[in-house]
């Protein structure tokens, strides 16, 4: 699970954002804060993977908080969620290492897309990190994991198929280093194996995925799926 700190001075907005986070598989809100001091204390206690951070806080701006975190050696990841849409603030957030910048008001789908890309980034770093040294291909894969544009999917989804779930599965396969089984896709996305299998079958038939068979000792082949570049 990815542990999230939600920071917003508006208690109602913080509650809404926390509920949104709780709806995304693999994420959970472990703390909330309504000012910079509370947020910094929560980060210092440890156990926070990601901060969803408002910029307009009563005691400090969100960017001032991030600056203090970095000065103290706190490398906790940050996604800005704020009504501040001026270019100077956006640039400052980038320079301080914010991974995404979401402008209020936003939809659940917009937040989920960014959380999904963040989860993909963590998975990619974990895979590449085991090698010790990353080559250009691995570096490109790490940076590419943060893209938020949904992966292409076929038009006319069958009944019972949703666009966000289709995009999520496409994103997982797009960033995978090798073909994945339905069981592996289910584990990566938080879906059930049967649901993952249903979407994989549709995407393979639509030409978005390539199916290969892996034969084992049982004689029944394992179905493996790989991304097909558009």
């Amino acid at each position: 699970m990815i542990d999230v700190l939600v920071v917003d001075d508006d208690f109602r907005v913080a509650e809404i954002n926390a509920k949104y986070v709780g709806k995304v598989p693999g994420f959970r809100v472990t703390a909330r804060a309504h000012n910079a001091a509370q947020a910094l204390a929560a980060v210092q206690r440890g156990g926070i993977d990601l901060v969803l951070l408002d910029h307009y806080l009563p005691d400090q701006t969100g960017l001032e908080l991030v600056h203090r975190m970095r000065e103290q050696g706190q490398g906790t990841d940050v996604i800005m969620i704020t009504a501040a849409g001026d270019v100077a603030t956006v640039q400052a957030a980038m320079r301080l290492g914010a991974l995404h910048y979401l402008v209020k008001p936003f939809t659940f789908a917009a937040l989920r897309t960014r959380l999904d890309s963040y989860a993909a980034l963590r998975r990619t770093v974990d895979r590449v990190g085991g090698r010790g040294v990353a080559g250009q291909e691995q570096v490109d894969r790490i940076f590419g994991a943060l893209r938020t544009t949904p992966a292409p999917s076929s038009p006319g989804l069958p009944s019972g198929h949703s666009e966000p779930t289709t995009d999520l599965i496409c994103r997982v396969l797009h960033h995978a280093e090798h073909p994945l089984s339905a069981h592996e896709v289910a584990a990566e996305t938080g879906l059930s194996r049967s649901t993952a299998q249903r979407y994989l079958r549709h995407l393979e038939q639509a030409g978005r995925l390539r199916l290969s068979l892996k034969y084992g000792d049982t004689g029944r082949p394992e179905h493996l799926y790989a991304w097909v570049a558009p």
Side-chain angles (χ1 to χ4, degrees), residues 136-215:
Q136 187 62 53
E137 181 181 352
Q138 287 73 38
V139 171
D140 290 343
R141 186 174 292 119
I142 290 172
F143 275 86
L146 280 175
R147 289 183 301 180
T148 57
T149 302
S153 59
S154 61
L157 292 175
S159 177
H161 287 232
S162 73
E163 195 71 32
T165 302
T166 300
D167 291 341
L168 174 60
I169 290 178
C170 286
R171 190 176 298 111
V172 167
L173 269 297
H174 179 65
H175 294 298
E177 295 183 358
H178 53 76
L180 301 179
S181 66
H183 176 76
E184 290 171 320
V185 171
E188 292 278 3
T189 58
L191 300 169
S192 68
R193 187 185 183 282
S194 60
T195 298
Q197 182 65 65
R198 179 158 50 89
Y199 278 82
L200 290 169
R201 188 180 301 113
H202 165 69
L203 290 167
E204 187 269 327
Q205 292 172 349
R208 306 307 312 139
L209 304 178
R210 181 178 65 254
L211 172 64
S212 60
L213 301 178
K214 179 181 178 182
Y215 289 88

